[in-house]
Structure formats: structure tokens, C-alpha cells
């Protein structure tokens, strides 16, 4: 994902994620990018559970690229779980970064 696209991402609150619609297709096509995403998710869950640190998640619903800053509580096979029981499908995540 280019830096410019991430900069244009619409900032939303984690509570608003639950009302979004997520297509079935993965936003990443490159296997190396998918490996980076998986490693970032594992790091983010450690930061969230051990240090209560938030991360920036760049993801895409069916309308546009979005950004949410929150704590990841868990990672399942197909989704990440945010505080408050909100899920984002892994296939729709462009990047996860600590700040």
C-alpha cells in the first residue's frame, strides 16, 4: 500500500467498523505483503495485550480505504478482534503499524 493512499484513508472510530460491509476478496495480492501483514498482526496483539498500546490499522471496506487507531485484542484465522467485540476481516487489511 502506498503512503499516499494511507494518508488519504478516512479516519473512523472503532465502533463504526461494525456497520461496514467487507467484500470477500483480499486487498493484498502479493504473498510477501501477506506475510508482512501476518507478522504485523502478531506484533500488534502483543503490544495490545502486554503494553495496552494502540495500533493504526489501514483497511478497506466496499467503498473506500479507512483508518482506525485502536487496540487489537485477538487474532482468529480470518479476523482481528478489536476492543468492544468489533471484527475486521484480515483479508481487508492493508497494514497494521504501532505508533
Amino acid at each position: 500500500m502506498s503512503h499516499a493512499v494511507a494518508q488519504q484513508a478516512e479516519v473512523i472510530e472503532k465502533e463504526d467498523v461494525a456497520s461496514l460491509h467487507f467484500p470477500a476478496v483480499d486487498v493484498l495480492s502479493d504473498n510477501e505483503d501477506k506475510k508482512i501483514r501476518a507478522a504485523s498482526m502478531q506484533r500488534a496483539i502483543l503490544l495490545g495485550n502486554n503494553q495496552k498500546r494502540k495500533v493504526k490499522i489501514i483497511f478497506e471496506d466496499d467503498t473506500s480505504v479507512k483508518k482506525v487507531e485502536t487496540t487489537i485484542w485477538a487474532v482468529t484465522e480470518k479476523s482481528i478482534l478489536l476492543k468492544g467485540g468489533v471484527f475486521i476481516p484480515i483479508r481487508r487489511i492493508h497494514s497494521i503499524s504501532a505508533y
Side-chain angles (χ1 to χ4, degrees):
M1 154 146 281
S2 75
H3 182 69
V5 173
Q7 290 293 89
Q8 294 175 358
E10 173 189 355
V11 177
I12 66 167
E13 297 298 321
K14 73 176 179 305
E15 294 81 8
D16 296 331
V17 173
S19 66
L20 301 177
H21 178 261
F22 297 103
V25 67
D26 198 317
V27 295
L28 301 180
S29 57
D30 183 77
N31 284 335
E32 192 60 33
D33 289 341
K34 290 178 184 180
K35 288 178 187 176
I36 292 168
R37 176 175 63 192
S40 297
M41 282 187 303
Q42 293 307 315
R43 181 170 181 261
I45 192 155
L46 290 174
L47 289 172
N49 289 337
N50 296 339
Q51 301 175 17
K52 307 302 181 217
R53 285 187 52 195
K54 292 183 178 183
V55 294
K56 180 175 18 180
I57 305 166
I58 306 294
F59 66 99
E60 193 170 340
D61 67 353
D62 60 348
T63 61
S64 65
V65 176
K66 308 236 184 328
K67 174 172 40 177
V68 65
E69 296 179 359
T70 188
T71 303
I72 296 177
W73 280 32
V75 176
T76 71
E77 185 178 327
K78 296 185 179 188
S79 301
I80 60 171
L81 173 62
L82 310 180
K83 185 177 180 180
V86 176
F87 288 89
I88 299 176
I90 293 169
R91 69 181 182 275
R92 302 307 296 174
I93 298 172
H94 285 280
S95 67
I96 300 173
S97 57
Y99 62 91

